Amino acid sequence: MQGLIWSLCALLCLSLWEESHCRSSRNIRSVNEPSLLRTKRALQDTDAKKCSYTFLVPEQRITGPICASTTGPEPDKDRVTRMDISDVREVLNKQRREIETLQLVVEVDGNLVNEMKLLRKESRNMNSRVTQLYMQLLHEIIRKRDNSLELVQLENRVLNVTSEMMRLASRYKELEARFATMAGVVNNQSILISALEEQCLRTLGRSELPPVPPLVQVVPENIPIDNRFTNEIVTKNQAFSRASRRESPTRSPFGMDPPPPQGTLTSDGPFKDCYQVRQAGYTTSGMYLLKTDNSEQLIQAWCEHGLDNGGWTVLQRRRDGSVNFFRNWENYKKGFGNIDGEHWLGLQNIFNLAKQGDYRLMIELEDWAGKKVYAEYSSFHLESESEGYKLRLGTYQGNAGDSFSSNNGKAFTTLDRDKDTFSGNCAHYHKGGWWYNACGQTNLNGVWYSGGVYRSKFQDGIFWADYGGGFYSLKCVRLMIRPID
């Protein structure tokens, strides 16, 4: 583009120079030609005629002498004729036309230059746009490559999970086969046990049979649900599986050896009881560290602050059947379970807590319809281990019915320590440790049956006789103590 502009400028200058040169030569020729003509004409006239007259007619008044010459007037070199003027005008017109032509050329060239500038600008914009599109294309290619890599990884994961599922499926089939074998063995053993029982009946006679604890009278109007037999067979199988397990006792979480469980609200303390935790300004229910006045052992306990102004120390909780409560004396003495779930705080810990002052007991019951009732006793404490942790209760108030006063003054009974007033072992029939009488109107440490009403040979569910009877297993139970206001 610049080369084209320079070429046009050079041509314009060359044309202007040639025009000026021709005009100057033409002017010189036009000026010299009249004088030469006059000179030739004078010479010819002189040679033709010897006598000539020249008259000068001045336009102005003559004041001086008039000179006459016989040779004629001399040529006026500086005189301009009409022909010269016409020639000059013609040259000027021609130059004007050329100038106009050049102006048109310059305007056209200027438009071309502007168009070239616009084209160059558009070219730069297009280059930047092409570069941007190229970068976007590169990013898209990279993204697709990454996506393909992720897809390959996901495919590998899916293959690994599929292989693991196949392995688990085969393992499940093996377990099913083993379970079927074990079920057959259990059935054979049940048949054998029935045969042995019949043989014992025939051998010993009816009078020598072991005593069976009396069943608690069922009060139909107090059963919380309409459909009374929703889990006849299922819960019976569940009861057998839970009651027949002989798993190792759960490690006690109430000492200092195990690490603190997740969900502990504060590291402050230890506190005397949960009522002192409440007085310290903690209003959120959770796990806290306690230490009684008459013991050096630290206790992790659940403090309930959302009920009746808080300050309740939870001694026992049942809610999902995740913990087996059919345990021996040592387990019930030290405690077992999970603090944030089902647990038993321990007879020795309960004894140390209640010995610090005057406490009252709150028992909260929840049925399978979601209804909650309570039984509260004005005083609560236990006697020492040498006395079998005998229960001492005060007067009752609440809306659940008084099914616990019949256990007042009774020692704690487990499968390996029979301290009840029944001829047999109530812990054996009710599948849990409790302050049994013979065997009593309540059993809150029994088998957790799902659905409420259950069928069992003995009343071994979590029942409260005055609320649902002996064959209605409650969903949730809590035992809590707090100092008397």
Side-chain angles (χ1 to χ4, degrees), residues 171-187 237-238 240-241 244:
R171 178 63 177 168
Y172 179 73
K173 290 181 179 179
E174 294 177 359
L175 292 175
E176 281 187 340
R178 293 177 62 183
F179 178 77
T181 303
M182 293 177 66
V185 172
V186 169
N187 291 332
N237 294 335
Q238 291 176 350
F240 176 79
S241 62
S244 60

Side-chain angles (χ1 to χ4, degrees), residues 12 40 62 84 144-145 234 275 372 407 418 420 484:
L12 179 61
K40 289 181 180 181
I62 300 173
D84 295 334
K144 288 186 176 180
R145 185 177 298 173
V234 176
Y275 186 74
K372 292 183 179 180
N407 301 70
D418 186 6
D420 54 46
I484 298 174

Side-chain angles (χ1 to χ4, degrees), residues 14 56 165 223-224 272 292 323 355 365 477:
L14 182 60
L56 298 174
M165 288 177 62
I223 295 179
K272 177 181 176 181
T292 59
V323 176
K355 191 178 179 180
L365 311 174
V477 175

Side-chain angles (χ1 to χ4, degrees), residues 329 333 347-348 382-385 387-391 435:
W329 179 269
K333 176 182 176 181
L347 290 170
Q348 188 62 38
L382 300 180
E383 296 185 7
S384 63
E385 183 180 9
E387 299 294 329
Y389 296 112
K390 286 183 180 181
L391 176 67
W435 294 279

Side-chain angles (χ1 to χ4, degrees), residues 46-246:
T46 304
D47 294 337
K49 295 180 179 180
K50 298 294 184 179
C51 182
S52 62
Y53 299 91
T54 303
F55 298 94
L56 298 174
V57 184
E59 294 180 359
Q60 296 180 358
R61 187 176 180 180
I62 300 173
T63 58
I66 299 173
C67 297
S69 178
T70 58
T71 59
E74 295 182 358
D76 190 2
K77 296 181 181 180
D78 297 329
R79 186 179 178 182
V80 178
T81 63
R82 290 181 180 179
M83 295 179 62
D84 295 334
I85 292 172
S86 63
D87 293 337
V88 171
R89 286 179 179 175
E90 185 180 355
V91 170
L92 290 175
N93 291 330
K94 185 175 181 181
Q95 289 180 356
R96 187 178 297 111
R97 288 192 301 270
E98 291 178 354
I99 289 172
E100 291 176 355
T101 305
L102 290 174
Q103 287 179 351
L104 294 174
V105 172
V106 169
E107 290 178 358
V108 172
D109 293 340
N111 294 331
L112 291 175
V113 170
N114 293 330
E115 291 180 359
M116 290 297 294
K117 289 181 179 179
L118 292 174
L119 288 174
R120 186 175 296 172
K121 185 176 180 180
E122 291 179 359
S123 177
R124 288 196 296 268
N125 294 334
M126 290 297 295
N127 290 333
S128 62
R129 180 61 178 166
V130 168
T131 304
Q132 184 179 1
L133 292 174
Y134 180 70
M135 295 301 295
Q136 291 180 356
L137 180 61
L138 287 178
H139 287 303
E140 189 68 20
I141 292 173
I142 293 171
R143 188 180 65 81
K144 288 186 176 180
R145 185 177 298 173
D146 294 339
N147 291 338
S148 62
L149 293 175
E150 292 179 358
L151 181 61
V152 171
Q153 293 177 357
L154 289 175
E155 290 178 351
N156 293 332
R157 291 180 183 176
V158 169
L159 291 175
N160 293 333
V161 171
T162 304
S163 61
E164 184 68 17
M165 288 177 62
M166 294 177 63
R167 188 182 67 82
L168 292 175
S170 61
R171 178 63 177 168
Y172 179 73
K173 290 181 179 179
E174 294 177 359
L175 292 175
E176 281 187 340
R178 293 177 62 183
F179 178 77
T181 303
M182 293 177 66
V185 172
V186 169
N187 291 332
N188 294 333
Q189 289 180 352
S190 299
I191 296 172
L192 179 60
I193 290 172
S194 299
L196 290 175
E197 287 180 350
E198 292 178 357
Q199 184 177 358
C200 289
L201 290 175
R202 289 193 300 268
T203 303
L204 298 177
R206 294 283 180 180
S207 59
E208 300 180 5
L209 290 177
V212 177
L215 298 179
V216 175
Q217 182 180 1
V218 177
V219 185
E221 58 269 19
N222 288 342
I223 295 179
I225 59 175
D226 295 331
N227 188 2
R228 296 179 53 189
F229 301 103
T230 57
N231 58 340
E232 298 177 0
I233 299 176
V234 176
T235 53
K236 185 175 179 180
N237 294 335
Q238 291 176 350
F240 176 79
S241 62
R242 291 193 181 99
S244 60
R245 285 185 300 181
R246 293 296 182 268

